[in-house]
């Protein structure tokens, strides 16, 4: 049994949709008060309504994390709402498909501004509050794509997700004396609006390469974040937790066929 963390407060960036909404729902279900952010106020209101039945309160704060001032404002708004910040889930991100030969300088800058700089500035803005609580937790949403695997069309996205791991490791060292842990979750293919935009053929191909035979649910990532947020995870820092139904274990299509053979035998 884990020590309850009800009454603590979290920021989940990109918590209005997809994986972030799953993380926010699991944390609020454990009694954590959560601020979710995103650019779209309608999605923010929908997230607040969807999670209104959880024991933890859920508040939406509008923020565009490509703007440094919004990262600061998000931390300040969370302190205004809940008086503390114990957990920062730096999850907001985009993953547009673009082949390297078609990528523009502006597109690369835009993606790094959100996926990497936005995460770093949000964490930085929360540091005094994370230290004050005595059990600060930073959890970044990286990906299997980039740090572990590659996929044509996502070189810029993969670069940002690997960059987050570089950030995590050095930040984990800097913040260890302050009692703050910094870890990463590496989702595989999780069923979200962002992923569904890839189309049916992509989703079917991905599902066929996952040993557990299903796409992940946003709550699968939420449960991993909840674990990393507990007191019992205090000695885990600088770690990467893959949550992918076994997808990175797949050496080839042949290895997936062998599962079928084994199941049929
Ligand atoms: P999603 O469904 O598209 O949701 C993205 C969230 O980020 C939304 O809440 C969105 O809100 C917010 N967001 C986007 N741009 C923003 C900005 N400039 N400022 C603030 N918030 C912003 O995406 P997802 O699939 O849940 O992905 C979430 C994270 O998981 C991303 O970092 C992604 O790279 C990572 N990931 C996803 C998968 C997957 O299979 N889905 C796999 C590996 C890693 P607004 O649009 O309202 O701004």
């Amino acid at each position: 049994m884990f020590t309850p963390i009800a009454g603590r407060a979290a920021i989940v960036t990109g918590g209005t949709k997809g994986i972030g909404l799953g993380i926010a729902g699991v944390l609020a279900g454990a009694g954590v008060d959560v601020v979710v952010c995103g650019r779209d106020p309608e999605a923010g209101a929908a997230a607040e309504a969807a999670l209104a039945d959880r024991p933890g309160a859920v508040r939406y704060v509008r923020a565009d994390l490509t703007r440094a001032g919004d990262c600061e404002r998000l931390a300040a708004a969370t302190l205004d709402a809940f008086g503390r910040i114990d957990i920062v889930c730096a999850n907001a991100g985009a993953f547009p498909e673009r082949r390297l030969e078609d990528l523009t300088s502006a597109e690369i800058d835009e993606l790094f501004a959100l996926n990497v700089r936005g995460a770093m500035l949000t964490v930085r803005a929360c540091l005094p509050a994370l230290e004050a609580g005595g059990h600060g937790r930073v959890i970044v949403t990286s990906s299997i794509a980039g740090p572990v695997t590659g996929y044509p069309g996502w070189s810029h996205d993969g670069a940002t997700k690997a960059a987050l791991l570089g950030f995590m490791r050095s930040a984990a060292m800097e913040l260890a004396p302050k009692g703050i842990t910094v870890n990463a979750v590496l989702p595989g293919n999780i069923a979200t609006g962002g992923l569904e935009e890839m189309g049916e053929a992509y989703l079917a191909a991905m599902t066929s390469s996952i040993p557990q035979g299903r796409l992940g649910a946003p709550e699968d990532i939420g449960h991993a974040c909840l674990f990393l947020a507990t007191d019992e995870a205090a000695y885990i820092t600088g770690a990467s937790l893959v949550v992918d139904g076994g997808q990175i274990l797949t050496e080839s299509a042949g290895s997936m066929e062998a599962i079928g053979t084994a199941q049929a035998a």
Side-chain angles (χ1 to χ4, degrees):
M1 189 67 173
F2 292 105
T3 307
I5 58 170
R8 294 188 188 172
I11 292 177
V12 181
T13 69
T16 56
K17 299 175 195 162
I19 289 176
L21 185 59
I23 297 171
V26 170
L27 290 177
V32 174
D33 296 326
V34 183
V35 161
V36 295
C37 82
R39 295 160 302 174
D40 174 7
E42 278 185 26
E48 284 184 343
L51 302 181
D53 62 342
R54 309 291 155 120
V58 177
R59 299 276 176 275
Y60 167 69
V61 172
R62 188 179 186 286
D64 178 349
L65 300 181
T66 63
R67 299 178 185 173
D70 279 17
C71 302
E72 301 280 343
R73 203 171 46 74
L74 178 62
T78 306
L79 285 172
D80 278 351
F82 300 132
R84 55 193 298 156
I85 306 170
D86 303 284
I87 305 158
V88 178
C89 295
N91 164 82
F95 41 98
E97 180 182 8
R98 186 83 79 244
R99 290 252 173 183
L100 182 56
E101 65 261 30
D102 301 322
L103 263 176
T104 66
S105 174
E107 286 169 335
I108 295 170
D109 285 350
E110 199 180 326
L111 204 63
F112 271 83
L114 173 61
N115 291 10
V116 183
R117 192 183 67 201
M120 293 175 68
L121 292 179
T122 301
V123 172
R124 190 186 70 175
C126 296
L127 287 180
L130 287 169
E131 183 178 4
H135 40 237
R137 298 285 186 270
V138 173
I139 304 158
V140 300
T141 303
S142 175
S143 177
I144 59 169
V148 186
T149 66
Y151 203 101
W154 279 277
S155 64
H156 58 335
D157 175 61
T160 66
K161 294 300 171 179
L164 281 176
L165 298 190
F167 161 68
M168 171 199 62
R169 292 191 183 102
S170 294
M173 290 190 69
E174 280 185 33
L175 301 178
K178 298 179 188 293
I180 301 170
T181 68
V182 188
N183 292 293
V185 286
L186 278 61
N189 280 270
I190 310 299
T192 67
L195 197 78
E196 278 154 19
E197 284 173 18
M198 311 290 185
E200 282 300 321
Y202 176 92
L203 296 179
M206 280 302 155
T207 305
S208 71
S209 67
I210 300 170
Q212 289 191 353
R214 67 168 177 93
L215 298 173
E219 290 74 17
D220 290 321
I221 308 305
H223 292 301
C225 292
L226 176 60
F227 166 64
L228 290 169
T230 61
D231 289 349
E232 285 71 16
Y235 202 56
I236 302 173
T237 196
S240 304
L241 181 53
V242 172
V243 185
D244 73 340
Q247 188 170 5
I248 62 169
L249 305 175
T250 313
E251 279 189 21
S252 66
S255 65
M256 287 300 292
E257 284 162 21
I259 294 182
T261 310
Q263 283 169 345

